[in-house]
Amino acid sequence: MPEQERPLVAIVMGSKSDWELMRHADEMLTQFGVQHECRVLSAHRTPDLLCDYITDAERRGVEVWIAAAGGAAHLGGVVAAHTVKPVLGVPIPSTSLNGIDSLLAIVQMPAGIPVGTLAIGKPGATNAALLAVSILAASRPPLTEKLKQYRGDQAKKILGETLP
Ligand code: RP5
């Protein structure tokens, strides 16, 4: 399958209720022109379907995983258990503990099965996508140029800001 047609990144989330935050990862990958796909799959509610999807997505070319979950957030760990590709975890603030529970669940992986854990919520969703782009950019120079442009645009925006 040509690279333009195959998904390079898969974003999985434990519930549709996570989408309101995870759409920021989706939008960032779209902005960088990175082919990707988004799925709701749960480590707890759809364990077998999740395993099938991991196998299928990698067969179709997925190179980086983004896994978002809230509460007893095991999704990233389960994905990491089934792949040696990089897995980036996004803690979702979906319970009364405001994402602290999700953060600790995702970040405290046992040595040997890593999940690169991002910030809680929107910053984590955004940065997971940017980190996925950085990982892919290691072998794709045009993505490196786009990342430099993105950083430059951020700097210009700050320089253009005025205080009242
Ligand atoms: C987790 O449980 C999901 O990732 C979500 O953040 C949380 C609550 O899910 P819903 O009850 O809203 O479906 O598995």
Side-chain angles (χ1 to χ4, degrees):
M1 194 188 291
E3 177 150 310
Q4 307 89 297
E5 289 172 28
R6 68 185 175 101
L8 296 176
V9 180
I11 302 175
V12 288
M13 61 206 86
S15 169
K16 190 178 177 186
S17 64
D18 300 330
W19 175 247
E20 185 48 35
L21 290 169
M22 291 315 295
R23 68 183 176 82
H24 297 288
D26 169 61
E27 288 165 10
M28 188 58 74
L29 290 174
T30 299
Q31 185 178 323
F32 274 85
V34 170
Q35 283 287 115
H36 64 284
E37 57 188 31
C38 306
R39 291 281 187 286
V40 175
L41 283 166
S42 166
H44 307 123
R45 293 164 170 161
T46 62
D48 294 338
L49 287 175
L50 175 62
C51 290
D52 292 347
Y53 176 66
I54 294 166
T55 305
D56 179 60
E58 296 206 348
R59 190 183 47 75
R60 290 182 291 108
V62 162
E63 295 182 21
V64 183
W65 289 90
I66 296 175
H74 296 131
L75 185 58
V78 171
V79 173
H82 287 89
T83 183
V84 294
K85 307 259 187 234
V87 179
L88 308 174
V90 182
I92 300 292
S94 57
T95 73
S96 52
L97 297 179
N98 295 323
I100 296 293
D101 46 353
S102 329
L103 172 65
L104 294 178
I106 297 172
V107 81
Q108 288 288 32
M109 287 297 291
I113 310 291
V115 174
T117 309
L118 282 298
I120 297 170
K122 181 179 172 184
T126 304
N127 282 343
L130 287 169
L131 207 45
V133 175
S134 293
I135 292 166
L136 295 168
S139 57
R140 295 172 179 86
L143 284 182
T144 299
E145 290 312 307
K146 285 186 187 179
L147 282 165
K148 287 180 181 169
Q149 175 79 45
Y150 178 82
R151 296 281 179 103
D153 290 347
Q154 281 187 95
K156 271 190 219 142
K157 190 167 166 247
I158 299 256
L159 290 174
E161 278 168 357
T162 53
L163 297 173

